[in-house]
Structure formats: C-alpha cells, structure tokens
Amino acid sequence: EYINELTEDNIIKSKTGFKDTLVWNKLYKFQKDGVIGAIEKLEKHNGCIIADSVGLGKTFEALAVIKYYELRNDRVLVLCPKKLRDNWLIYTINDKRNILDKDRFNYDVLNHTDLSRDKGLSGDIDLKMINWGNYDLIVIDESHNFRNNDPRIDRKTRYKKLMEDVIKAGVKTKVLMLSATPVNNRLNDLKNQVAFITEANDDALSDEGINSIEVTLRNAQTQFNKWLDKPTEGRKLESLLSHLNVDYFKLLDALTIARSRRHIEKY
C-alpha cells in the first residue's frame, strides 16, 4: 500500500535519465520498489536502512540508488568491510567482469577500518588528503558493525570519526545503510545507526509523531526484555508485537525497508 502511494514520477526526477540506466533495468520489480522507497526516505529524512534478507539483492538496490544520485552530480562514498571491498570496486573499473560498465559508476570505496587511519593509501585514495566532509551520499555496507558507540579517551573511534568528520562536517550528507541484521540482540542496536541519519538529533522525527527517538527505542527495549523473560512457550511473536509501542513501528516505517524472501514470494 505504501509503495502504491509513491508514484515513481513523484520520487524519481525523470530528467536525470535514471530509468534508462543499465542497473535500473536489471532490477526485479520488488527491488525497484525498494529503490524508490529508499530514495523517498533519503529525500525526506536524509537516510534509510535497507534490511532485506540475505540474497535479495541489497547491493544492487544500493547501486541503483547510487546511480540516481551520481546522475544528479552528487559525490558518493561506499564504506564496507575490507573483505567486501572488491565486490564494490568491480563496478567502478574498466573490467570484463563489470556487468554494469555502461553506467560508468564513479563512487569512492573505503574500508570500515580506514576510519581509524589518518594516513596511508586505501587502494589509490590517499587518506591524508581526503576531504571527508565533501560526500553527498554515504553507503554503509554491513552497517550493524556501527551499532556500538563506545567513546574512547585516547583516540577518536570509527563511529565518532564517521559522525563528526564525514556526516556532520561539510556538505549535507545522506546516509544509506545496508544490513540483513541491523538488530542483533537488542532493539537498541538501531539507535546508533539511526543517529547517523538524524545527526544524533533526538527529535528529528517529530514530523512523524515521534517526539523522542531515544525514548521510543528505550521503551521498545523494555517490552522486548519482558517478553524475553517469559517461558519459551509464552514467547509468541504476536505477544511481542502487541506490546511494542506504536512509535517504534512509526520509526521503522520512516527509516527502514525490510523484506523477507517469504514476503517477496507471497506478494
């Protein structure tokens, strides 16, 4: 129902030529829906978490979103775990394995660990010279790696560097996060990821009727803990959902896209 309200023409500025790109035309219908939903959330709230299940093509959805913003002349950074670096780099180089070569992607790729370094090379990027505050869109692959924000006295953590030097500094930065598991074992795991979108502004979603993101997530965590304390036979999903506050679902609707394989097959 939500997707039907988003007519593509309202979201996608047709003059960009986005609909003619190779990546858009390679997507399945459900992936195109995800891309349109993500762009709408990026435009409205400055961020989105795509939490589709493993194997549903989050990378390709993200590539389509990247292409949309590249066509608008935006500068894009992909932050990923080192082991996934080549998966992203392949689409930016003149290589026979690049099935999207006609789209001429031009984003930068850095590792999560590069946020801990002040100098040296990451691929052909000189970390000492990089203008961190000049990215219009950041795509964070495996964003659950940033669910913890434990401050350090001796140095700036990766989380703090990303927040202060990249997202808050310089140009206004949109944040697209990809994770099949944005919540690990606490509903509060979402808090630090949502903070990237809102720049840690607790009332950023007041237009959605959420006066405090912090309180909303804390209340949801309290209900989740009570549910966990029940004996196994009493731990039914319906019981948890009925006790979670409505603001929690509003927050999920505003900032996340999450489909399971079963959901895609059913609808």
Side-chain angles (χ1 to χ4, degrees):
E1 288 166 4
Y2 159 74
I3 286 292
N4 288 340
E5 290 168 19
L6 303 179
T7 61
E8 290 179 16
D9 295 334
N10 286 348
I11 305 301
I12 293 169
K13 319 281 189 294
S14 52
K15 291 192 178 73
T16 58
F18 178 62
K19 296 284 186 65
D20 301 324
T21 60
L22 195 56
V23 65
W24 174 259
N25 287 291
K26 278 191 179 293
L27 297 180
Y28 291 107
K29 176 71 171 72
F30 78 88
Q31 292 172 325
K32 287 180 177 177
D33 288 345
V35 169
I36 292 166
I39 291 172
E40 189 261 351
K41 292 174 194 302
L42 286 162
E43 289 297 308
K44 188 175 181 183
H45 297 298
N46 259 9
C48 175
I49 302 172
I50 297 181
D52 286 347
S53 297
V54 173
L56 292 181
K58 288 186 289 298
T59 300
F60 273 80
E61 289 174 19
L63 283 165
V65 173
I66 289 170
K67 191 72 245 171
Y68 175 73
Y69 284 102
E70 283 191 347
L71 287 167
R72 292 172 61 180
N73 256 356
D74 283 354
R75 190 178 292 277
V76 182
L77 170 66
V78 172
L79 272 176
C80 64
K82 195 171 185 178
K83 66 177 189 286
L84 299 179
R85 183 187 181 91
D86 288 344
N87 294 11
W88 288 98
L89 275 176
I90 192 72
Y91 300 112
T92 67
I93 57 177
N94 188 20
D95 187 299
K96 285 180 179 174
R97 293 165 298 169
N98 179 2
I99 58 169
L100 302 175
D101 59 334
K102 290 186 179 67
D103 282 343
R104 297 181 178 261
F105 281 95
N106 193 34
Y107 53 83
D108 292 341
V109 180
L110 291 172
N111 309 333
H112 290 174
T113 49
D114 289 333
L115 290 167
S116 306
R117 301 164 60 202
D118 293 321
K119 55 184 187 290
L121 290 175
S122 180
D124 55 3
I125 296 175
D126 185 345
L127 293 172
K128 194 174 184 181
M129 305 307 291
I130 195 167
N131 184 357
W132 286 107
N134 200 31
Y135 288 106
D136 303 284
L137 172 68
I138 294 194
V139 177
I140 308 174
D141 197 5
E142 307 273 328
S143 66
H144 51 268
N145 289 325
F146 290 92
R147 66 177 175 261
N148 296 320
N149 176 21
D150 301 322
R152 296 282 297 259
I153 299 170
D154 54 332
R155 60 181 169 80
K156 191 181 272 192
T157 62
R158 287 178 206 168
Y159 186 98
K160 193 172 183 184
K161 170 134 181 181
L162 181 53
M163 179 69 91
E164 292 183 358
D165 297 5
V166 188
I167 294 170
K168 285 186 174 180
V171 301
K172 187 73 176 166
T173 304
K174 293 178 167 59
V175 184
L176 176 65
M177 287 173 269
L178 312 176
S179 174
T181 53
V183 170
N184 185 23
N185 52 15
R186 296 176 307 145
L187 300 189
N188 221 22
D189 288 345
L190 270 180
K191 184 176 123 183
N192 291 321
Q193 294 167 78
V194 167
F196 286 141
I197 296 172
T198 62
E199 295 189 0
N201 177 9
D202 192 45
D203 62 359
L205 295 176
S206 56
D207 287 352
E208 300 289 325
I210 300 167
N211 295 324
S212 167
I213 294 168
E214 169 112 24
V215 170
T216 297
L217 290 171
R218 196 187 312 132
N219 289 345
Q221 184 65 47
T222 301
Q223 292 303 326
F224 184 66
N225 292 346
K226 286 179 182 173
W227 180 78
L228 268 186
D229 286 340
K230 291 181 178 179
T232 311
E233 61 276 7
R235 231 179 282 158
K236 298 280 189 292
L237 181 61
E238 295 75 21
S239 156
L240 173 62
L241 296 179
S242 66
H243 284 91
L244 285 174
N245 44 327
V246 69
D247 283 2
Y248 185 70
F249 294 106
K250 280 187 196 169
L251 184 142
L252 294 182
D253 279 345
L255 301 180
T256 69
I257 293 170
R259 284 89 52 91
S260 64
R261 188 176 292 275
R262 202 169 80 183
H263 175 96
I264 297 301
E265 287 168 354
K266 185 174 177 183
Y267 297 103

